[in-house]
Amino acid sequence: GTPSRLAAAACSEPRLRQFRGERHTRSAPGGRGWRMRRRAAFWAVRGASSASGAPRARCAARLARLRAMATAPAAQGACTDTGDAKRALRAAVRARLGAKSGEALAEQGAAAAARARASSAWRGCRSACVYVASTRLREVDTAPLLDDALRVAPRPCFAPRVVGETSDGQMRMLRISHLGDLEPGAMGLLEPPLTDGAGSPRECVETTALGEGYDVVLMPGFAFDRAGSRLGRGGGFYDRFVARLTASAAEQGRPPPVLLALCYDEQVVEAVPAHAHDHPVDFIATPTELITCAAEGRSPSSK
């Protein structure tokens, strides 16, 4: 009952006190050490409330293993795993961008967009997949590139829509004819509806035959390094989309998409932690330079 559980918790308090007092790079909520301590608390309470010796011994053994995992010292100045490193980098970049005024970001974003628009990757593509920037997320505004693809130098232009309202949803790049095709989506971003004005399904870049050439995908992100590693916002939408588009291009005998990132100078860092499924970008357009990345397995200079 409740009294016995409270008593067990009280008995286990001395065992858990050391966990609460520790502070290291893995102690943040959601980090590995934090999760280990939560699990240790469960097994300490369960072990204290076990009536027989065998369950108590198993709980004690499990608690000892978790204590060792949670209290193992982290490498100095380093996060303990890629997930922790990504969270720390997002927080650092968020602070850098938060220190800049909206006017400064708008001016620098316009310079980054102009640099992307002048790049050979953009000028030579047969179709463009363009994210619709969010001021709230402090993304580089892609309006000049949308205007270029839709009006100045017309070519098939696709904008992202997330199908499904959870992190398990899929992102589709749907064709648009003008900016009026966009409407607020489930995540608060402007997206194309699934159907056009006539009620017909919109073309999807993954299934539309567009002739020879390559697609360019404008990639948003939190941070990038000069090798092309990209830190997104954690949803994995673009990594999954790029994997599908690359497979589709291979099936049709076309080159893989060129991945062109837009960001502020503050978002280019020395190194971005990456998982195996994270796709590197080919080019990074910033307000001050166009970075040609040398990611392993890619050949940006040939595109």
Side-chain angles (χ1 to χ4, degrees), residues 14-44:
R15 305 184 188 185
L16 303 178
R17 193 168 293 146
Q18 61 174 319
F19 295 114
R20 295 195 182 114
E22 289 161 4
R23 293 292 182 270
H24 51 71
T25 57
R26 291 185 292 188
S27 62
R32 179 173 177 269
W34 182 82
R35 295 193 298 271
M36 292 301 102
R37 286 193 295 279
R38 288 287 300 272
R39 290 167 60 187
F42 169 80
W43 285 104

PDB file of all heavy atoms in Angstrom, residues 14-44:
ATOM      1  N   PRO A  14      18.962   7.459   1.629  1.00  0.00           N
ATOM      2  CA  PRO A  14      20.422   7.561   1.752  1.00  0.00           C
ATOM      3  C   PRO A  14      21.158   7.022   0.535  1.00  0.00           C
ATOM      4  O   PRO A  14      22.214   7.520   0.175  1.00  0.00           O
ATOM      5  CB  PRO A  14      20.713   6.721   3.007  1.00  0.00           C
ATOM      6  CG  PRO A  14      19.441   6.752   3.781  1.00  0.00           C
ATOM      7  CD  PRO A  14      18.362   6.732   2.736  1.00  0.00           C
ATOM      8  N   ARG A  15      20.590   5.987  -0.089  1.00  0.00           N
ATOM      9  CA  ARG A  15      21.247   5.419  -1.261  1.00  0.00           C
ATOM     10  C   ARG A  15      21.247   6.397  -2.436  1.00  0.00           C
ATOM     11  O   ARG A  15      22.134   6.373  -3.281  1.00  0.00           O
ATOM     12  CB  ARG A  15      20.538   4.140  -1.705  1.00  0.00           C
ATOM     13  CG  ARG A  15      20.409   3.096  -0.622  1.00  0.00           C
ATOM     14  CD  ARG A  15      19.795   1.857  -1.219  1.00  0.00           C
ATOM     15  NE  ARG A  15      19.461   0.873  -0.192  1.00  0.00           N
ATOM     16  CZ  ARG A  15      19.008  -0.325  -0.459  1.00  0.00           C
ATOM     17  NH1 ARG A  15      18.823  -0.691  -1.716  1.00  0.00           N
ATOM     18  NH2 ARG A  15      18.721  -1.178   0.508  1.00  0.00           N
ATOM     19  N   LEU A  16      20.205   7.249  -2.513  1.00  0.00           N
ATOM     20  CA  LEU A  16      20.067   8.143  -3.665  1.00  0.00           C
ATOM     21  C   LEU A  16      20.676   9.515  -3.434  1.00  0.00           C
ATOM     22  O   LEU A  16      20.794  10.304  -4.351  1.00  0.00           O
ATOM     23  CB  LEU A  16      18.581   8.320  -4.007  1.00  0.00           C
ATOM     24  CG  LEU A  16      17.824   7.031  -4.304  1.00  0.00           C
ATOM     25  CD1 LEU A  16      16.366   7.336  -4.564  1.00  0.00           C
ATOM     26  CD2 LEU A  16      18.431   6.320  -5.495  1.00  0.00           C
ATOM     27  N   ARG A  17      21.059   9.801  -2.196  1.00  0.00           N
ATOM     28  CA  ARG A  17      21.520  11.150  -1.898  1.00  0.00           C
ATOM     29  C   ARG A  17      22.738  11.527  -2.742  1.00  0.00           C
ATOM     30  O   ARG A  17      22.891  12.648  -3.177  1.00  0.00           O
ATOM     31  CB  ARG A  17      21.838  11.244  -0.405  1.00  0.00           C
ATOM     32  CG  ARG A  17      22.013  12.679   0.077  1.00  0.00           C
ATOM     33  CD  ARG A  17      22.022  12.722   1.600  1.00  0.00           C
ATOM     34  NE  ARG A  17      20.706  12.346   2.124  1.00  0.00           N
ATOM     35  CZ  ARG A  17      20.537  11.669   3.263  1.00  0.00           C
ATOM     36  NH1 ARG A  17      21.578  11.279   3.956  1.00  0.00           N
ATOM     37  NH2 ARG A  17      19.324  11.381   3.682  1.00  0.00           N
ATOM     38  N   GLN A  18      23.621  10.541  -2.966  1.00  0.00           N
ATOM     39  CA  GLN A  18      24.820  10.857  -3.745  1.00  0.00           C
ATOM     40  C   GLN A  18      24.476  11.227  -5.171  1.00  0.00           C
ATOM     41  O   GLN A  18      25.145  12.042  -5.796  1.00  0.00           O
ATOM     42  CB  GLN A  18      25.771   9.662  -3.740  1.00  0.00           C
ATOM     43  CG  GLN A  18      25.179   8.415  -4.363  1.00  0.00           C
ATOM     44  CD  GLN A  18      26.210   7.305  -4.470  1.00  0.00           C
ATOM     45  OE1 GLN A  18      27.352   7.565  -4.818  1.00  0.00           O
ATOM     46  NE2 GLN A  18      25.799   6.089  -4.163  1.00  0.00           N
ATOM     47  N   PHE A  19      23.396  10.646  -5.729  1.00  0.00           N
ATOM     48  CA  PHE A  19      23.009  10.969  -7.095  1.00  0.00           C
ATOM     49  C   PHE A  19      22.571  12.418  -7.208  1.00  0.00           C
ATOM     50  O   PHE A  19      22.878  13.113  -8.153  1.00  0.00           O
ATOM     51  CB  PHE A  19      21.883  10.052  -7.565  1.00  0.00           C
ATOM     52  CG  PHE A  19      22.292   8.608  -7.667  1.00  0.00           C
ATOM     53  CD1 PHE A  19      21.739   7.660  -6.835  1.00  0.00           C
ATOM     54  CD2 PHE A  19      23.232   8.216  -8.603  1.00  0.00           C
ATOM     55  CE1 PHE A  19      22.126   6.346  -6.931  1.00  0.00           C
ATOM     56  CE2 PHE A  19      23.612   6.896  -8.708  1.00  0.00           C
ATOM     57  CZ  PHE A  19      23.059   5.945  -7.865  1.00  0.00           C
ATOM     58  N   ARG A  20      21.810  12.873  -6.202  1.00  0.00           N
ATOM     59  CA  ARG A  20      21.288  14.240  -6.269  1.00  0.00           C
ATOM     60  C   ARG A  20      22.397  15.268  -6.145  1.00  0.00           C
ATOM     61  O   ARG A  20      22.291  16.374  -6.648  1.00  0.00           O
ATOM     62  CB  ARG A  20      20.255  14.440  -5.157  1.00  0.00           C
ATOM     63  CG  ARG A  20      19.027  13.577  -5.311  1.00  0.00           C
ATOM     64  CD  ARG A  20      17.912  14.102  -4.407  1.00  0.00           C
ATOM     65  NE  ARG A  20      16.743  13.257  -4.523  1.00  0.00           N
ATOM     66  CZ  ARG A  20      16.266  12.499  -3.538  1.00  0.00           C
ATOM     67  NH1 ARG A  20      16.873  12.493  -2.375  1.00  0.00           N
ATOM     68  NH2 ARG A  20      15.190  11.771  -3.712  1.00  0.00           N
ATOM     69  N   GLY A  21      23.469  14.917  -5.432  1.00  0.00           N
ATOM     70  CA  GLY A  21      24.518  15.891  -5.180  1.00  0.00           C
ATOM     71  C   GLY A  21      25.513  16.044  -6.305  1.00  0.00           C
ATOM     72  O   GLY A  21      26.298  16.979  -6.306  1.00  0.00           O
ATOM     73  N   GLU A  22      25.506  15.153  -7.253  1.00  0.00           N
ATOM     74  CA  GLU A  22      26.515  15.193  -8.303  1.00  0.00           C
ATOM     75  C   GLU A  22      26.133  16.175  -9.396  1.00  0.00           C
ATOM     76  O   GLU A  22      24.990  16.302  -9.764  1.00  0.00           O
ATOM     77  CB  GLU A  22      26.698  13.807  -8.910  1.00  0.00           C
ATOM     78  CG  GLU A  22      27.382  12.866  -7.940  1.00  0.00           C
ATOM     79  CD  GLU A  22      27.152  11.428  -8.331  1.00  0.00           C
ATOM     80  OE1 GLU A  22      26.539  11.205  -9.374  1.00  0.00           O
ATOM     81  OE2 GLU A  22      27.577  10.554  -7.570  1.00  0.00           O
ATOM     82  N   ARG A  23      27.123  16.867  -9.924  1.00  0.00           N
ATOM     83  CA  ARG A  23      26.907  17.793 -11.029  1.00  0.00           C
ATOM     84  C   ARG A  23      28.026  17.576 -12.044  1.00  0.00           C
ATOM     85  O   ARG A  23      29.199  17.829 -11.750  1.00  0.00           O
ATOM     86  CB  ARG A  23      26.940  19.256 -10.543  1.00  0.00           C
ATOM     87  CG  ARG A  23      25.773  19.599  -9.628  1.00  0.00           C
ATOM     88  CD  ARG A  23      24.460  19.581 -10.395  1.00  0.00           C
ATOM     89  NE  ARG A  23      23.357  19.952  -9.540  1.00  0.00           N
ATOM     90  CZ  ARG A  23      22.646  19.111  -8.830  1.00  0.00           C
ATOM     91  NH1 ARG A  23      22.933  17.831  -8.852  1.00  0.00           N
ATOM     92  NH2 ARG A  23      21.644  19.526  -8.088  1.00  0.00           N
ATOM     93  N   HIS A  24      27.687  17.071 -13.190  1.00  0.00           N
ATOM     94  CA  HIS A  24      28.652  16.951 -14.275  1.00  0.00           C
ATOM     95  C   HIS A  24      27.892  17.069 -15.577  1.00  0.00           C
ATOM     96  O   HIS A  24      26.693  17.328 -15.592  1.00  0.00           O
ATOM     97  CB  HIS A  24      29.457  15.652 -14.195  1.00  0.00           C
ATOM     98  CG  HIS A  24      28.620  14.414 -14.037  1.00  0.00           C
ATOM     99  ND1 HIS A  24      27.833  13.916 -15.042  1.00  0.00           N
ATOM    100  CD2 HIS A  24      28.446  13.595 -12.964  1.00  0.00           C
ATOM    101  CE1 HIS A  24      27.229  12.830 -14.626  1.00  0.00           C
ATOM    102  NE2 HIS A  24      27.574  12.611 -13.372  1.00  0.00           N
ATOM    103  N   THR A  25      28.567  16.885 -16.676  1.00  0.00           N
ATOM    104  CA  THR A  25      27.955  17.200 -17.963  1.00  0.00           C
ATOM    105  C   THR A  25      26.823  16.278 -18.317  1.00  0.00           C
ATOM    106  O   THR A  25      26.085  16.551 -19.252  1.00  0.00           O
ATOM    107  CB  THR A  25      29.002  17.132 -19.087  1.00  0.00           C
ATOM    108  OG1 THR A  25      29.601  15.822 -19.094  1.00  0.00           O
ATOM    109  CG2 THR A  25      30.074  18.179 -18.902  1.00  0.00           C
ATOM    110  N   ARG A  26      26.640  15.184 -17.603  1.00  0.00           N
ATOM    111  CA  ARG A  26      25.565  14.261 -17.945  1.00  0.00           C
ATOM    112  C   ARG A  26      24.363  14.408 -17.022  1.00  0.00           C
ATOM    113  O   ARG A  26      23.475  13.585 -17.041  1.00  0.00           O
ATOM    114  CB  ARG A  26      26.075  12.824 -17.901  1.00  0.00           C
ATOM    115  CG  ARG A  26      27.042  12.530 -19.015  1.00  0.00           C
ATOM    116  CD  ARG A  26      27.438  11.089 -19.045  1.00  0.00           C
ATOM    117  NE  ARG A  26      28.242  10.745 -17.890  1.00  0.00           N
ATOM    118  CZ  ARG A  26      28.863   9.575 -17.746  1.00  0.00           C
ATOM    119  NH1 ARG A  26      28.758   8.667 -18.682  1.00  0.00           N
ATOM    120  NH2 ARG A  26      29.580   9.314 -16.685  1.00  0.00           N
ATOM    121  N   SER A  27      24.329  15.450 -16.185  1.00  0.00           N
ATOM    122  CA  SER A  27      23.279  15.531 -15.188  1.00  0.00           C
ATOM    123  C   SER A  27      22.066  16.318 -15.640  1.00  0.00           C
ATOM    124  O   SER A  27      21.093  16.422 -14.922  1.00  0.00           O
ATOM    125  CB  SER A  27      23.836  16.171 -13.904  1.00  0.00           C
ATOM    126  OG  SER A  27      24.264  17.488 -14.167  1.00  0.00           O
ATOM    127  N   ALA A  28      22.085  16.913 -16.810  1.00  0.00           N
ATOM    128  CA  ALA A  28      20.941  17.682 -17.286  1.00  0.00           C
ATOM    129  C   ALA A  28      19.756  16.771 -17.553  1.00  0.00           C
ATOM    130  O   ALA A  28      19.926  15.635 -17.956  1.00  0.00           O
ATOM    131  CB  ALA A  28      21.305  18.440 -18.564  1.00  0.00           C
ATOM    132  N   PRO A  29      18.521  17.249 -17.291  1.00  0.00           N
ATOM    133  CA  PRO A  29      17.334  16.437 -17.597  1.00  0.00           C
ATOM    134  C   PRO A  29      17.370  15.963 -19.032  1.00  0.00           C
ATOM    135  O   PRO A  29      17.614  16.736 -19.944  1.00  0.00           O
ATOM    136  CB  PRO A  29      16.177  17.412 -17.343  1.00  0.00           C
ATOM    137  CG  PRO A  29      16.706  18.359 -16.320  1.00  0.00           C
ATOM    138  CD  PRO A  29      18.165  18.520 -16.653  1.00  0.00           C
ATOM    139  N   GLY A  30      17.129  14.672 -19.205  1.00  0.00           N
ATOM    140  CA  GLY A  30      17.163  14.086 -20.529  1.00  0.00           C
ATOM    141  C   GLY A  30      18.515  13.486 -20.873  1.00  0.00           C
ATOM    142  O   GLY A  30      18.637  12.704 -21.794  1.00  0.00           O
ATOM    143  N   GLY A  31      19.572  13.855 -20.129  1.00  0.00           N
ATOM    144  CA  GLY A  31      20.892  13.309 -20.395  1.00  0.00           C
ATOM    145  C   GLY A  31      21.005  11.887 -19.884  1.00  0.00           C
ATOM    146  O   GLY A  31      20.174  11.387 -19.120  1.00  0.00           O
ATOM    147  N   ARG A  32      22.107  11.245 -20.256  1.00  0.00           N
ATOM    148  CA  ARG A  32      22.277   9.840 -19.905  1.00  0.00           C
ATOM    149  C   ARG A  32      22.359   9.647 -18.389  1.00  0.00           C
ATOM    150  O   ARG A  32      21.719   8.762 -17.824  1.00  0.00           O
ATOM    151  CB  ARG A  32      23.539   9.307 -20.585  1.00  0.00           C
ATOM    152  CG  ARG A  32      23.846   7.847 -20.288  1.00  0.00           C
ATOM    153  CD  ARG A  32      25.015   7.395 -21.153  1.00  0.00           C
ATOM    154  NE  ARG A  32      25.397   6.025 -20.850  1.00  0.00           N
ATOM    155  CZ  ARG A  32      26.297   5.701 -19.946  1.00  0.00           C
ATOM    156  NH1 ARG A  32      26.876   6.655 -19.227  1.00  0.00           N
ATOM    157  NH2 ARG A  32      26.617   4.439 -19.735  1.00  0.00           N
ATOM    158  N   GLY A  33      23.164  10.490 -17.699  1.00  0.00           N
ATOM    159  CA  GLY A  33      23.287  10.359 -16.258  1.00  0.00           C
ATOM    160  C   GLY A  33      21.968  10.577 -15.544  1.00  0.00           C
ATOM    161  O   GLY A  33      21.644   9.902 -14.568  1.00  0.00           O
ATOM    162  N   TRP A  34      21.210  11.557 -16.030  1.00  0.00           N
ATOM    163  CA  TRP A  34      19.900  11.842 -15.440  1.00  0.00           C
ATOM    164  C   TRP A  34      18.985  10.635 -15.565  1.00  0.00           C
ATOM    165  O   TRP A  34      18.290  10.259 -14.628  1.00  0.00           O
ATOM    166  CB  TRP A  34      19.294  13.045 -16.156  1.00  0.00           C
ATOM    167  CG  TRP A  34      17.964  13.500 -15.634  1.00  0.00           C
ATOM    168  CD1 TRP A  34      17.723  14.296 -14.566  1.00  0.00           C
ATOM    169  CD2 TRP A  34      16.689  13.184 -16.192  1.00  0.00           C
ATOM    170  NE1 TRP A  34      16.369  14.503 -14.425  1.00  0.00           N
ATOM    171  CE2 TRP A  34      15.702  13.831 -15.402  1.00  0.00           C
ATOM    172  CE3 TRP A  34      16.272  12.414 -17.280  1.00  0.00           C
ATOM    173  CZ2 TRP A  34      14.358  13.728 -15.667  1.00  0.00           C
ATOM    174  CZ3 TRP A  34      14.928  12.324 -17.542  1.00  0.00           C
ATOM    175  CH2 TRP A  34      13.981  12.966 -16.748  1.00  0.00           C
ATOM    176  N   ARG A  35      18.983   9.998 -16.757  1.00  0.00           N
ATOM    177  CA  ARG A  35      18.147   8.817 -16.940  1.00  0.00           C
ATOM    178  C   ARG A  35      18.604   7.664 -16.048  1.00  0.00           C
ATOM    179  O   ARG A  35      17.786   6.926 -15.495  1.00  0.00           O
ATOM    180  CB  ARG A  35      18.166   8.389 -18.410  1.00  0.00           C
ATOM    181  CG  ARG A  35      17.541   9.397 -19.355  1.00  0.00           C
ATOM    182  CD  ARG A  35      17.313   8.785 -20.727  1.00  0.00           C
ATOM    183  NE  ARG A  35      18.550   8.359 -21.357  1.00  0.00           N
ATOM    184  CZ  ARG A  35      19.287   9.147 -22.113  1.00  0.00           C
ATOM    185  NH1 ARG A  35      18.925  10.394 -22.330  1.00  0.00           N
ATOM    186  NH2 ARG A  35      20.393   8.679 -22.685  1.00  0.00           N
ATOM    187  N   MET A  36      19.923   7.526 -15.904  1.00  0.00           N
ATOM    188  CA  MET A  36      20.433   6.461 -15.052  1.00  0.00           C
ATOM    189  C   MET A  36      19.997   6.666 -13.604  1.00  0.00           C
ATOM    190  O   MET A  36      19.654   5.726 -12.902  1.00  0.00           O
ATOM    191  CB  MET A  36      21.972   6.414 -15.133  1.00  0.00           C
ATOM    192  CG  MET A  36      22.521   5.962 -16.483  1.00  0.00           C
ATOM    193  SD  MET A  36      21.976   4.318 -16.994  1.00  0.00           S
ATOM    194  CE  MET A  36      20.697   4.776 -18.178  1.00  0.00           C
ATOM    195  N   ARG A  37      20.002   7.918 -13.144  1.00  0.00           N
ATOM    196  CA  ARG A  37      19.603   8.176 -11.758  1.00  0.00           C
ATOM    197  C   ARG A  37      18.116   7.919 -11.556  1.00  0.00           C
ATOM    198  O   ARG A  37      17.690   7.455 -10.500  1.00  0.00           O
ATOM    199  CB  ARG A  37      19.986   9.611 -11.375  1.00  0.00           C
ATOM    200  CG  ARG A  37      21.475   9.780 -11.164  1.00  0.00           C
ATOM    201  CD  ARG A  37      21.791  11.108 -10.492  1.00  0.00           C
ATOM    202  NE  ARG A  37      21.446  12.234 -11.352  1.00  0.00           N
ATOM    203  CZ  ARG A  37      22.226  12.672 -12.329  1.00  0.00           C
ATOM    204  NH1 ARG A  37      23.364  12.064 -12.574  1.00  0.00           N
ATOM    205  NH2 ARG A  37      21.876  13.701 -13.058  1.00  0.00           N
ATOM    206  N   ARG A  38      17.301   8.250 -12.553  1.00  0.00           N
ATOM    207  CA  ARG A  38      15.880   7.944 -12.446  1.00  0.00           C
ATOM    208  C   ARG A  38      15.660   6.438 -12.335  1.00  0.00           C
ATOM    209  O   ARG A  38      14.855   5.961 -11.540  1.00  0.00           O
ATOM    210  CB  ARG A  38      15.136   8.479 -13.678  1.00  0.00           C
ATOM    211  CG  ARG A  38      15.012   9.990 -13.715  1.00  0.00           C
ATOM    212  CD  ARG A  38      13.988  10.475 -12.693  1.00  0.00           C
ATOM    213  NE  ARG A  38      12.669   9.918 -12.953  1.00  0.00           N
ATOM    214  CZ  ARG A  38      11.778  10.488 -13.755  1.00  0.00           C
ATOM    215  NH1 ARG A  38      12.084  11.599 -14.382  1.00  0.00           N
ATOM    216  NH2 ARG A  38      10.594   9.937 -13.937  1.00  0.00           N
ATOM    217  N   ARG A  39      16.376   5.681 -13.158  1.00  0.00           N
ATOM    218  CA  ARG A  39      16.246   4.229 -13.089  1.00  0.00           C
ATOM    219  C   ARG A  39      16.795   3.696 -11.776  1.00  0.00           C
ATOM    220  O   ARG A  39      16.252   2.755 -11.188  1.00  0.00           O
ATOM    221  CB  ARG A  39      16.978   3.599 -14.279  1.00  0.00           C
ATOM    222  CG  ARG A  39      16.293   3.854 -15.607  1.00  0.00           C
ATOM    223  CD  ARG A  39      17.187   3.502 -16.765  1.00  0.00           C
ATOM    224  NE  ARG A  39      17.567   2.092 -16.747  1.00  0.00           N
ATOM    225  CZ  ARG A  39      18.465   1.570 -17.579  1.00  0.00           C
ATOM    226  NH1 ARG A  39      19.065   2.345 -18.467  1.00  0.00           N
ATOM    227  NH2 ARG A  39      18.753   0.284 -17.514  1.00  0.00           N
ATOM    228  N   ALA A  40      17.884   4.311 -11.274  1.00  0.00           N
ATOM    229  CA  ALA A  40      18.439   3.879  -9.994  1.00  0.00           C
ATOM    230  C   ALA A  40      17.448   4.102  -8.863  1.00  0.00           C
ATOM    231  O   ALA A  40      17.328   3.283  -7.942  1.00  0.00           O
ATOM    232  CB  ALA A  40      19.746   4.631  -9.715  1.00  0.00           C
ATOM    233  N   ALA A  41      16.721   5.233  -8.918  1.00  0.00           N
ATOM    234  CA  ALA A  41      15.721   5.503  -7.887  1.00  0.00           C
ATOM    235  C   ALA A  41      14.653   4.417  -7.872  1.00  0.00           C
ATOM    236  O   ALA A  41      14.237   3.931  -6.814  1.00  0.00           O
ATOM    237  CB  ALA A  41      15.079   6.869  -8.132  1.00  0.00           C
ATOM    238  N   PHE A  42      14.220   3.996  -9.050  1.00  0.00           N
ATOM    239  CA  PHE A  42      13.206   2.941  -9.136  1.00  0.00           C
ATOM    240  C   PHE A  42      13.701   1.653  -8.499  1.00  0.00           C
ATOM    241  O   PHE A  42      13.020   1.028  -7.694  1.00  0.00           O
ATOM    242  CB  PHE A  42      12.842   2.703 -10.605  1.00  0.00           C
ATOM    243  CG  PHE A  42      12.015   1.461 -10.833  1.00  0.00           C
ATOM    244  CD1 PHE A  42      10.653   1.463 -10.589  1.00  0.00           C
ATOM    245  CD2 PHE A  42      12.616   0.290 -11.265  1.00  0.00           C
ATOM    246  CE1 PHE A  42       9.903   0.323 -10.791  1.00  0.00           C
ATOM    247  CE2 PHE A  42      11.870  -0.852 -11.477  1.00  0.00           C
ATOM    248  CZ  PHE A  42      10.505  -0.837 -11.235  1.00  0.00           C
ATOM    249  N   TRP A  43      14.939   1.251  -8.846  1.00  0.00           N
ATOM    250  CA  TRP A  43      15.435  -0.026  -8.343  1.00  0.00           C
ATOM    251  C   TRP A  43      15.784   0.045  -6.864  1.00  0.00           C
ATOM    252  O   TRP A  43      15.683  -0.951  -6.142  1.00  0.00           O
ATOM    253  CB  TRP A  43      16.647  -0.480  -9.162  1.00  0.00           C
ATOM    254  CG  TRP A  43      16.226  -0.993 -10.494  1.00  0.00           C
ATOM    255  CD1 TRP A  43      16.328  -0.373 -11.694  1.00  0.00           C
ATOM    256  CD2 TRP A  43      15.578  -2.241 -10.755  1.00  0.00           C
ATOM    257  NE1 TRP A  43      15.790  -1.136 -12.692  1.00  0.00           N
ATOM    258  CE2 TRP A  43      15.322  -2.294 -12.152  1.00  0.00           C
ATOM    259  CE3 TRP A  43      15.187  -3.310  -9.963  1.00  0.00           C
ATOM    260  CZ2 TRP A  43      14.701  -3.372 -12.750  1.00  0.00           C
ATOM    261  CZ3 TRP A  43      14.570  -4.394 -10.558  1.00  0.00           C
ATOM    262  CH2 TRP A  43      14.324  -4.415 -11.938  1.00  0.00           C
ATOM    263  N   ALA A  44      16.163   1.227  -6.368  1.00  0.00           N
ATOM    264  CA  ALA A  44      16.414   1.351  -4.935  1.00  0.00           C
ATOM    265  C   ALA A  44      15.131   1.175  -4.143  1.00  0.00           C
ATOM    266  O   ALA A  44      15.083   0.477  -3.128  1.00  0.00           O
ATOM    267  CB  ALA A  44      17.046   2.713  -4.634  1.00  0.00           C
TER     268      ALA A  44
END
